[in-house]
Amino acid sequence: MTSGGIRRSFTAAAALALASFGSAALAAPGPWQLNMERGASTWSPVPYHLNNVALGVCTVIGVLVFSAMFIAIFRFRKSRGAVAEKWSHNTTVEVVWTTIPVLILITLAYLATSGLTSWADTTGSQMTVKVTGYQWKWRYDYVDYLGKSIDKVGFMSKLDSRSDRTRQLGSGMDPFAVKVGDENTYLLDVDKPLVVPVDTKIRFVITSGDVIHSWWVPATGWKIDAIPGIINAAWANFTTPGTYRGQCAELCGQDHGFMPIVVEVKSKADFAKWLAEQEASSKAPAAAAQTAQVAAPVAGKQG
Amino acid sequence: MSYAATHDQHDDHHGAPKGFFQRWCMSTNHKDIGTLYLIFSLTMLFIGGSFAMLIRAELFKPGMQLMQPYFFNEMTAMHALVMIFGAIMPAFVGLGNWMIPLMVGAPDMALPRMNNLSFWILPFAFVLLLSTLFLPGGGPAGGWTMYPPLSLQSGSLAYAVFAIHLMGISSIMGAINIIATILNMRAPGMDLMKMPVFVWSWLITAFLLIAVMPALAGAVTMLLTDKYFGTNFFNPGGGGDPVLYQHIFWFFGHPEVYIMILPAFGIISEIVPTFARKPIFGYKAMVFAIACIAFLSFIVWAHHMFAVGLPLGAEVFFMYATMLISVPTGVKVFNWVATMWGGSMTFETPMLFAIAFIILFTIGGFSGLMMALVPADFQYHDTYFIVAHFHYVLVTGALFAIIGAAYYWMPKWTGNMYSEFWGKVHFWNSVIWVNVLFFPQHFLGLAGMPRRIPDYNVAFANFNMISSIGGFLFGATQLIFVGVLIHCAFFSKKKATDRVWEGAKGLEWTIPSPAPHHTFEVPPVINDDELAHGHVND
Ligand SMILES: [Cu+2]
Ligand SMILES: [Cu+2]
C-alpha cells in the first residue's frame, strides 16, 4: 500500500472515529474503526477510558525508549567512527528506571481497581434476564422487572436467515448485501433480539446448556463466559435507546462465528408495552412455551 | 569448579560417524542433535505456517470461500499446537543443545543418550498429531487450549492427548539434560555469575519446563478420563467444574509463555553486546530480571480467565501480579538500549533482527500491560487484540530471536558466512510484512472482532484484507530464509573466521569454524578477558 493510501485510510478512519465518538454511541463496528467504542451503558466508559489512558502511557514510554534507541543507533555507529566505551552498569539509572514504572503501574492499578469494583456490584438491579448459551444460539428468559416476577417470557435468538444463507460455503451471495436499512448486519443480526428498557440497572445471569460460550455486547463494556453448571452475573444500565450488536466470544464449536447477539434498548414505556404483549402471547400458546422450557434442562441447575 | 568428565566412549573421537543412520538416528552428539532439532523446527514452522496461510486465505474477505467452519477450527487449533510445540520450543532446545556446551566449555550434554531420545520422540508425536487431520473424526478443533466441554466433543481427543504427553516427556527430558549440563559440566573457572545470559535464560527456562509440563499432562489426562473412562472432573452433570481445567491449563500455560520468550531474551542479550562491541549493561540485573519473571509467571495464570467470572479478590490479585511483570521486563528493554548507548555499532543481519525484536516485542509487551487491566480486558478478551498481542510476542519476539540466533551462529555451525545481502532482504521483508500482518489486528480487536471465527461482518473487511496480504508476503519471505540457510551450508565460498564477529566474546568463539565434531574434550583454560561477563564481580 502506498503512503498516500495509508494516509487516506487514516483520515477516513479518523473522521469516522470522531463522528462516532462525538454524539451517538457506536451500536455496531464500523469500517476502519481504530479504537474501542465508548459503549452505551453507564459503566462502559470505564474500559474505554482505561484503554485510552493505558494506550497513552504506553505510547509515551514507547516514544521515549525507541527514540533513545534510535539516537544510539545513529550516534554510536562504527561507520561514524564511534569507539565503544567500557562501562556496563550504573546503579542510579537502574534504580530510576525500575522506580518510575512502578509509580505508573500504581496509578493504572488504582484506576482499574475502582472501575472493577463498580462492575462487580450487581446489587440494586431493577430487572433480571437469564441468558443461556447453546450450540449455536442464545436463549433469553425474563426473570423479573421492577420487583415483579415475569411469567414465562423467554425465547431463542439465533442468526438471521439471510446471513445464514449467505454464509454457507459457496452460496454465491454477497455479504455486503445483508442490510437492515443502511446498516450492514451480516452475521450481526438475529431472528429475535433481546429487548430491554433504557435507564434500568439490568442484572444478567448467564449460563450455558452445553459448552462454554461468552456473551459479549461491546456497548455494555464487558463480556462474560456462559459456562455449564455455573451461573455468572453481570449488570448493564443502557443510557441510550438503540440496537446494539455483539457476538459469542468463546470458541464453542463449528458455528461459533455464527451466534450473534442483538440487544434492542427501548424507552421504558415501549418496553412495558412489549413485555405485556409477550406475556399475553405466552399464555395463549402454552404448548410452544413448554417445548422451549424442555429444551433448557441444564439451564435451571445452580452451580 | 564443577567440571565432571562424563564422557561417552565414541569409536571415533575426531569425526562424525559415516553412515547416515549411525550419524543422525543414533547420534549422541550435542551438535548433531541440535541440528536435528533445528531442522525439525524449521519443517514445523512451514507446516504450521501453511495452516496460517489457509486461515488468512479464508479471512481474506467476508463470506465463506474455501472451507467449512469446522475445518477452519481445526486449522486454528493445529496452527497453534504445531507452532508452539513443534516450531518455537524445539528451536530453542536446538539452539541450547548446540550452544550451551560450547558456551560453558563442556564436551557434550550431560546425558547424551537421553538427548537422542528427547529429540526422536518429537517426530512421532507430531506424526500422531498431524495424522488426525486425515482421520474420520478430524483433528482437534477446540483451540490449542482444548477447553472442555468443547474439546470432549472431538473424536480425535485421544490422539491429541497422547501427542501432548509425548511432547511433554520430550521437553522434560530436554530440560533435565540442560540443567544437568549447566550445573555439572561447566569448565573450571566458568562461575555461574560469569555464564552467558543465554545459558542463564535456558537454566531458568528448564526449571519452568520441569515445573509446568506435568500440570499440562495432568490436565489433558483428566480430559481423556472424562471422555473415555467415565470420570467427571470437568463435567458439571457429575459434580465437576469446567473452570478447573482452565486453572490447571493456565498454570502450565502462562509459564509456557515465558518458556517461549526467556531463551529469546538470552539470545538478544548475546547479539546486542557483540554488535555494539560493548559489554551488556547490568549483567546481574539481566539475570535477576529473568529469574523474577520466571517466579512471577507462576502467580499470574488467571489473567487468561478474567471473563470466566472470578471473584473480585482474585481478579484484583491476578491483575496486580500481571502488571508487576512489566517491571523486570522493562528493565531488560532499558538495559538492551543502554548496552547500545556508547557502543560502536554495526548492523549485520543478526543485529537487525535483535533491534526489531526489541521494538516489536516491546509493542507486544505494551498490549500485554493493557490487557492486564481487568476492566479493559473485559473488552479485549478473546478478540483480535489478543491475537495481535501474542503474535507480536511470539513471532516478532520469539521467532525473530530464533532467526537472529540462526544468523548469528550459522557461521560457527557451517564454517561459512551466509549472504549478508540476502539476509538483509529477508530481514526487511520480514519486518515490513509482519507488521502489515499483525498491526491491523489490534484495530480489528478493538472494533469488536472475536478471535477464532471463520467469517465476519463486512465492517472488518478492510483490515482483514490488509492483514491477509501481509500474511501471504510474510509467509513467502520465509522461503528466502531457507534459501540463505542452504546457500550458507552448502554453497557459500566465504569462509568464516573462528571469531566470526569482531565484537564476539565467549568460549564458543574460541573454537574453530565450523565447530569440530568434538569440542572441549579437555576443559578449556578460562581467561576472564575472553568471556563476555568475565569481570562482572570486579
Ligand atoms: Cu462461541
Ligand atoms: Cu499469561
Side-chain angles (χ1 to χ4, degrees):
Chain A
M1 194 182 229
T2 63
S3 65
I6 291 173
R7 203 169 316 124
R8 258 199 311 284
S9 324
F10 272 94
T11 327
L16 232 150
L18 273 179
S20 49
F21 288 174
S23 54
L26 213 53
W32 299 115
Q33 184 181 331
L34 293 180
N35 199 1
M36 190 187 285
E37 60 168 284
R38 176 189 284 272
S41 80
T42 50
W43 188 80
S44 64
V46 170
Y48 172 69
H49 288 307
L50 206 52
N51 166 68
N52 292 356
V53 170
L55 180 63
V57 167
C58 291
T59 311
V60 171
I61 299 173
V63 166
L64 291 175
V65 175
F66 300 151
S67 359
M69 193 165 108
F70 280 113
I71 291 170
I73 288 174
F74 284 102
R75 267 181 61 187
F76 306 107
R77 335 165 54 99
K78 200 183 172 213
S79 55
R80 292 188 64 215
V83 178
E85 292 163 29
K86 290 272 173 274
W87 48 268
S88 65
H89 56 94
N90 180 330
T91 313
T92 322
V93 174
E94 293 182 72
V95 169
V96 168
W97 70 38
T98 312
T99 317
I100 293 179
V102 171
L103 297 178
I104 295 172
L105 289 181
I106 290 173
T107 318
L108 285 176
Y110 171 76
L111 292 174
T113 308
S114 58
L116 184 61
T117 318
S118 60
W119 179 84
D121 179 17
T122 54
T123 56
S125 62
Q126 297 143 292
M127 178 176 176
T128 305
V129 178
K130 185 171 139 205
V131 180
T132 315
Y134 293 96
Q135 287 176 314
W136 292 275
K137 50 192 173 290
W138 295 97
R139 180 177 172 84
Y140 300 111
D141 289 287
Y142 290 71
V143 179
D144 59 50
Y145 179 50
L146 300 178
K148 283 200 297 284
S149 68
I150 299 171
D151 197 26
K152 281 185 190 153
V153 177
F155 50 84
M156 290 286 182
S157 176
K158 66 175 197 317
L159 184 67
D160 69 298
S161 58
R162 260 177 81 210
S163 292
D164 196 42
R165 267 178 285 129
T166 309
R167 65 103 177 176
Q168 300 301 324
L169 185 60
S171 71
M173 294 164 76
D174 182 11
F176 287 85
V178 181
K179 284 185 169 190
V180 173
D182 27 306
E183 197 190 356
N184 233 312
T185 58
Y186 179 57
L187 300 183
L188 289 181
D189 203 7
V190 293
D191 55 351
K192 206 159 185 259
L194 172 69
V195 179
V196 295
V198 74
D199 293 329
T200 306
K201 184 168 181 179
I202 306 160
R203 184 167 158 262
F204 292 93
V205 288
I206 298 173
T207 186
S208 164
D210 39 49
V211 302
I212 302 174
H213 305 265
S214 191
W215 198 79
W216 182 33
V217 177
T220 61
W222 49 263
K223 66 174 67 68
I224 195 158
D225 289 357
I227 305 171
I230 287 176
I231 297 193
N232 276 327
W235 65 275
N237 188 340
F238 290 96
T239 51
T240 329
T243 305
Y244 301 100
R245 301 177 191 280
Q247 282 177 270
C248 175
E250 178 66 51
L251 178 61
C252 55
Q254 62 170 2
D255 286 351
H256 163 56
F258 309 105
M259 51 182 292
I261 297 155
V262 179
V263 180
E264 226 176 277
V265 179
K266 287 186 189 292
S267 71
K268 285 183 174 172
D270 287 352
F271 176 74
K273 218 169 98 208
W274 178 87
L275 188 62
E277 279 167 18
Q278 298 294 312
E279 283 188 295
S281 69
S282 78
K283 278 182 190 105
Q290 224 154 22
T291 37
Q293 291 290 6
V294 172
V298 189
K301 220 169 63 70
Q302 296 282 328
Chain B
M1 289 264 78
S2 42
Y3 173 71
T6 52
H7 194 301
D8 255 30
Q9 285 309 310
H10 296 271
D11 296 328
D12 177 0
H13 265 264
H14 300 285
K18 293 284 175 293
F20 181 87
F21 183 80
Q22 274 295 321
R23 169 148 192 200
W24 297 108
C25 301
M26 308 296 280
S27 180
T28 54
N29 180 289
H30 74 100
K31 301 183 187 78
D32 284 353
I33 295 174
T35 305
L36 287 172
Y37 265 112
L38 290 170
I39 292 172
F40 176 81
S41 96
L42 188 64
T43 314
M44 287 298 142
L45 182 74
F46 278 92
I47 294 176
S50 63
F51 297 162
M53 294 300 108
L54 287 173
I55 291 169
R56 282 318 322 169
E58 179 55 63
L59 293 173
F60 187 72
K61 57 180 188 167
M64 300 296 291
Q65 285 88 26
L66 300 172
M67 58 188 82
Q68 292 294 351
Y70 191 82
F71 183 74
F72 183 90
N73 290 350
E74 289 177 74
M75 287 297 100
T76 52
M78 291 295 248
H79 165 69
L81 288 169
V82 168
M83 288 306 204
I84 291 169
F85 294 105
I88 301 293
M89 290 173 68
F92 283 129
V93 181
L95 293 169
N97 248 293
W98 244 106
M99 302 317 298
I100 288 171
L102 297 186
M103 289 174 136
V104 301
D108 203 311
M109 296 296 280
L111 308 158
R113 287 172 209 282
M114 193 162 92
N115 204 11
N116 176 295
L117 181 59
S118 49
F119 171 75
W120 278 107
I121 286 177
L122 280 182
F124 293 97
F126 279 89
V127 166
L128 201 61
L129 183 66
L130 292 168
S131 71
T132 58
L133 289 174
F134 305 100
L135 296 179
W144 80 282
T145 51
M146 304 206 295
Y147 282 2
L150 180 63
S151 60
L152 299 174
Q153 295 178 347
S154 152
S156 58
L157 181 74
Y159 283 75
V161 168
F162 193 45
I164 286 173
H165 279 155
L166 289 175
M167 296 168 202
I169 292 168
S170 160
S171 297
I172 290 174
M173 290 197 302
I176 290 172
N177 215 341
I178 282 170
I179 293 172
T181 307
I182 296 172
L183 294 185
N184 294 319
M185 306 267 294
R186 278 171 290 125
M190 175 58 77
D191 303 350
L192 283 175
M193 288 313 279
K194 287 180 183 173
M195 292 197 307
V197 183
F198 177 67
V199 178
W200 259 114
S201 70
W202 241 125
L203 180 63
I204 292 166
T205 302
F207 278 105
L208 285 184
L209 272 170
I210 291 180
V212 301
M213 291 311 283
L216 174 66
V220 295
T221 307
M222 286 151 93
L223 286 180
L224 197 71
T225 59
D226 265 16
K227 186 166 168 78
Y228 294 107
F229 302 105
T231 57
N232 289 307
F233 292 113
F234 310 129
N235 174 14
D241 180 356
V243 178
L244 172 66
Y245 175 86
Q246 300 185 21
H247 282 291
I248 305 173
F249 180 86
W250 288 113
F251 183 79
F252 146 79
H254 193 84
E256 168 69 14
V257 172
Y258 289 111
I259 287 165
M260 292 189 284
I261 203 66
L262 295 184
F265 289 167
I267 289 165
I268 302 306
S269 307
E270 299 301 318
I271 295 177
V272 170
T274 295
F275 296 96
R277 292 167 180 76
K278 185 165 157 282
I280 189 125
F281 182 89
Y283 171 81
K284 283 182 184 167
M286 288 305 245
V287 171
F288 184 69
I290 294 177
C292 217
I293 293 170
F295 168 74
L296 287 173
S297 77
F298 285 109
I299 54 165
V300 296
W301 75 87
H303 65 206
H304 299 265
M305 302 164 57
F306 283 151
V308 302
L310 296 173
L312 179 61
E315 307 236 70
V316 169
F317 171 81
F318 285 106
M319 167 165 73
Y320 294 171
T322 305
M323 293 172 77
L324 263 185
I325 293 189
S326 56
V327 177
T329 314
V331 165
K332 298 202 75 73
V333 173
F334 300 145
N335 284 12
W336 287 321
V337 175
T339 305
M340 295 183 198
W341 197 270
S344 169
M345 276 191 272
T346 52
F347 302 92
E348 288 86 347
T349 310
M351 184 62 162
L352 292 176
F353 274 102
I355 291 171
F357 171 99
I358 296 171
I359 297 175
L360 299 174
F361 170 80
T362 304
I363 291 176
F366 285 149
S367 54
L369 174 62
M370 293 167 76
M371 286 151 42
L373 307 169
V374 181
D377 188 64
F378 285 153
Q379 290 280 34
Y380 305 140
H381 181 72
D382 266 334
T383 67
Y384 261 80
F385 192 79
I386 306 292
V387 177
H389 158 75
F390 65 67
H391 281 98
Y392 265 83
V393 181
L394 285 176
V395 178
T396 58
L399 182 63
F400 270 31
I402 291 165
I403 295 175
Y407 280 107
Y408 183 55
W409 284 312
M410 208 188 302
K412 181 55 71 188
W413 300 335
T414 63
N416 301 326
M417 293 306 287
Y418 60 86
S419 158
E420 196 60 59
F421 172 79
W422 284 104
K424 285 186 171 143
V425 170
H426 174 220
F427 168 76
W428 284 109
N429 274 287
S430 292
V431 82
I432 290 168
W433 301 123
V434 84
N435 281 293
V436 175
L437 165 57
F438 293 122
F439 207 81
Q441 295 184 358
H442 291 113
F443 305 138
L444 287 171
L446 290 170
M449 179 168 164
R451 63 191 281 204
R452 293 165 165 166
I453 58 173
D455 197 5
Y456 47 82
N457 181 264
V458 297
F460 305 125
N462 302 330
F463 284 130
N464 267 298
M465 191 177 283
I466 294 171
S467 178
S468 286
I469 292 169
F472 301 145
L473 292 169
F474 180 70
T477 298
Q478 302 321 307
L479 297 172
I480 301 175
F481 183 46
V482 178
V484 174
L485 290 172
I486 292 174
H487 170 263
C488 177
F490 301 112
F491 302 106
S492 175
K493 295 275 180 297
K494 211 175 149 211
K495 295 292 162 217
T497 59
D498 294 354
R499 169 93 19 211
V500 182
W501 313 108
E502 188 191 27
K505 283 196 156 189
L507 292 180
E508 78 263 41
W509 308 109
T510 61
I511 57 169
S513 300
H517 199 62
H518 296 291
T519 38
F520 299 130
E521 286 173 288
V522 176
V525 177
I526 289 182
N527 168 8
D528 282 353
D529 292 328
E530 262 302 312
L531 301 181
H533 317 290
H535 296 288
V536 170
N537 291 310
D538 297 356

